[in-house]
């Protein structure tokens, strides 16, 4: 049995997804992995520039500015969700091939139950349900599961990382300098 390199949304699924996005005044930006040569999960004609936008690497070199403008991050198993955690953004995993991926393919770096604080949708209907729930909320209020996932990846939750780096560098330089 051969497996596709990615989920391919059919026309009816795209129509349902676009209706959900339109109802919430939202758009979905699609960005593939920068190293993967997998096809896009959407056909070229599905990108309308309004509800479904292609955020390809050639046009958008850096992910950070895109994340800062996002309301939710939808991913498969990508570690991009960790960047979203730093911004307190809600995250959804569309893991349509979770069993195959975790058992037979690359495996998972983290236990999804432990490290992924949002819904893990394994089929299209579950994905729509998860997006509907998140887009219906006025704002993301991280719960204890979300905070626990943050603690797995971040020692500090403030904006002082640059200051701490400079202090560590200064201390290392001072320790190496002759007195």
């Amino acid at each position: 049995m051969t497996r596709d390199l990615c989920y391919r949304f059919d026309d009816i699924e795209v129509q349902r997804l676009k209706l959900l996005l339109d109802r919430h005044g939202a758009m979905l930006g699609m960005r593939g992995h920068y190293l993967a040569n997998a096809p896009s999960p959407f056909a070229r004609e599905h990108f309308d520039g309004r509800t479904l936008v292609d955020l390809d690497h050639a046009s958008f070199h850096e992910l950070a500015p895109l994340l800062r403008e996002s309301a939710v991050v939808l991913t498969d198993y990508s570690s991009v969700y960790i960047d979203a955690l730093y911004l307190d953004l809600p995250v959804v995993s569309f893991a349509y091939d979770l069993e195959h991926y975790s058992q037979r393919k690359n495996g998972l770096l983290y236990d999804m139950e432990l490290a992924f604080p949002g819904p893990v949708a394994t089929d299209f209907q579950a994905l729509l349900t998860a997006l509907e729930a998140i887009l219906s909320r006025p704002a993301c209020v991280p719960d204890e599961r979300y905070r626990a996932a943050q603690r797995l990846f971040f020692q500090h939750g403030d904006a002082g990382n640059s200051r701490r780096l400079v202090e560590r560098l200064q201390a290392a330089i001072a320790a190496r300098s002759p007195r």
Side-chain angles (χ1 to χ4, degrees):
M1 176 175 152
T2 62
R3 296 193 66 92
D4 292 333
L5 293 174
C6 73
Y7 187 87
R8 296 288 294 178
F9 291 88
D10 65 35
D11 291 342
I12 293 171
E13 290 172 332
V14 171
Q15 181 181 13
R16 291 179 65 201
L17 181 60
K18 285 183 174 186
L19 284 171
L20 175 119
L21 294 167
D22 198 42
R23 189 168 57 252
H24 290 282
M27 70 170 48
L28 176 65
M30 169 55 207
R31 183 180 179 88
H33 191 283
Y34 69 97
L35 292 178
N37 357 334
S40 171
F42 300 101
R44 175 69 27 216
E45 63 269 14
H46 291 149
F47 292 102
D48 59 14
R50 190 177 62 77
T51 53
L52 191 55
V53 180
D54 188 359
L55 300 177
D56 65 280
H57 296 273
S59 301
F60 300 91
H61 302 286
E62 291 295 325
L63 183 62
L66 298 172
L67 287 176
R68 284 193 298 269
E69 296 301 320
S70 297
V72 60
V73 171
L74 170 60
T75 186
D76 52 6
Y77 314 101
S78 171
S79 62
V80 69
Y81 86 90
I82 297 169
D83 296 325
L85 290 177
Y86 200 74
L87 299 170
D88 281 343
L89 291 173
V91 293
V92 175
S93 172
F94 184 41
Y96 73 96
D97 62 347
L98 179 60
E99 183 179 336
H100 174 75
Y101 193 89
S102 61
Q103 301 296 320
R104 296 181 195 92
K105 199 172 176 187
N106 296 331
L108 298 169
L109 292 176
Y110 309 107
D111 178 347
M112 293 286 279
E113 288 293 316
L114 175 67
F116 196 86
V120 177
T122 56
D123 61 48
F124 180 73
Q125 185 55 51
L127 171 63
L128 283 184
T129 301
L131 288 174
E132 177 70 44
I134 288 173
L135 292 172
S136 295
R137 293 190 304 218
C140 177
V141 179
D143 58 13
E144 182 49 39
R145 183 171 177 226
Y146 193 98
R147 294 296 185 213
Q150 286 176 317
R151 287 190 300 273
L152 284 174
F153 301 106
F154 306 117
Q155 184 177 1
H156 304 282
D158 59 18
N161 287 337
S162 295
R163 177 188 46 77
R164 282 186 286 276
L165 174 62
V166 168
E167 289 170 356
R168 285 185 70 180
L169 290 172
Q170 288 172 335
I173 291 168
R176 293 184 67 191
S177 298
R179 295 184 194 244

